[in-house]
């Protein structure tokens, strides 16, 4: 017969290694750095397995910010994968000079000594939802304090739309760039 999945940390080098687990759930901690930990200005929501990861700001930066530059294609701001949000944000700032857009708010944010925040890519936003938001994939609950509302990603979808995510149900779809959505900045470490 096929073994039932036992979820846990399957990396034997992690501090919370579970020898009984046969399916990794992304919960591995290294040197006390875990998903859900408060670290370097926010809450860790993704780890790369090599000592780095992504941190979400501890609260929303805005509750009704536009993505910006409706009708304008932003060169380069189409990265979807984890690791592309920062470059998307740089590209948006270069191609859309409107102040107060979702990306602009993140690019100009300082929390403590940290001023390297950016608007998360589509996949980075989804990891926030899953790991420290309403998705509850690791059993941590909505420790990020996310609203049951729509959040912007930095991933553009053409001249008139960009990707966002509904944090009440996890659905991602494209929204017109001119509408206001919630903004949560992230940074890498």
């Amino acid at each position: 017969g096929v073994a039932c999945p036992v979820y846990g940390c399957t990396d034997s080098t992690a501090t919370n290694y579970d020898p009984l687990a046969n399916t990794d759930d992304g919960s591995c901690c290294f040197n006390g750095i875990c998903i859900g930990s408060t670290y370097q200005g926010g809450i860790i929501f993704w780890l790369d397995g090599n000592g780095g990861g992504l941190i979400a700001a501890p609260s929303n930066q805005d509750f009704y910010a536009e993505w910006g530059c409706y009708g304008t294609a932003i060169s380069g701001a189409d990265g979807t994968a984890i690791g592309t949000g920062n470059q998307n944000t740089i590209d948006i700032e270069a191609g859309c000079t409107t102040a107060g857009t979702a990306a602009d708010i993140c690019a100009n944010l300082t929390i403590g000594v940290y001023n390297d925040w950016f608007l998360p890519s589509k996949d980075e936003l989804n990891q926030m939802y899953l790991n420290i938001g309403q998705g509850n994939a690791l059993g941590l609950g909505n420790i990020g304090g996310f609203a049951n509302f729509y959040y912007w990603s930095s991933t553009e979808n053409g001249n008139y739309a960009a990707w966002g995510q509904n944090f009440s149900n996890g659905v991602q779809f494209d929204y017109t760039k001119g509408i206001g959505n919630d903004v949560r900045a992230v940074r890498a470490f």
Side-chain angles (χ1 to χ4, degrees):
V2 177
C4 291
V6 178
Y7 295 98
C9 175
T10 60
D11 186 330
S12 62
T13 66
T15 53
N16 64 331
Y17 168 64
D18 183 350
L20 302 177
N22 60 26
T23 306
D24 196 89
D25 65 0
S27 69
C28 293
C29 300
F30 300 92
N31 301 320
I33 296 170
C34 312
I35 291 173
S37 297
T38 299
Y39 188 67
Q40 291 187 359
I43 305 163
I44 297 172
F45 70 92
W46 180 80
L47 294 170
D48 65 10
N50 297 309
L54 293 170
I55 295 167
S59 59
N60 286 356
Q61 276 55 68
D62 202 287
F63 296 95
Y64 201 76
E66 292 184 11
W67 198 90
C69 291
Y70 179 83
T72 304
I74 306 297
S75 178
D78 54 3
T80 59
I82 292 173
T84 60
N86 191 43
Q87 187 60 52
N88 285 349
T89 301
I90 291 166
D91 294 338
I92 295 164
E93 285 288 89
C96 179
T97 57
T98 307
T101 64
D104 190 57
I105 289 164
C106 297
N108 289 298
L109 179 65
T110 299
I111 297 176
V113 298
Y114 303 102
N115 61 1
D116 56 349
W117 299 90
F118 54 90
L119 188 63
S121 71
K122 183 177 183 252
D123 292 356
E124 292 164 349
L125 185 64
N126 190 52
Q127 287 299 306
M128 277 198 293
Y129 169 78
L130 290 173
N131 292 341
I132 63 168
Q134 290 87 325
N136 197 31
L138 303 176
L140 299 173
N142 182 13
I143 61 170
F146 294 95
N148 287 316
F149 195 67
Y150 307 94
Y151 283 82
W152 278 124
S153 85
S154 59
T155 306
E156 186 183 48
N157 193 12
N159 295 19
Y160 303 99
W163 287 95
Q165 187 158 1
N166 182 344
F167 269 55
S168 66
N169 61 16
V171 174
Q172 291 190 315
F173 50 97
D174 57 347
Y175 302 90
T176 176
K177 292 177 179 179
I179 66 166
N181 282 331
D182 286 357
V183 175
R184 183 69 66 98
V186 303
R187 60 180 300 274
F189 69 93

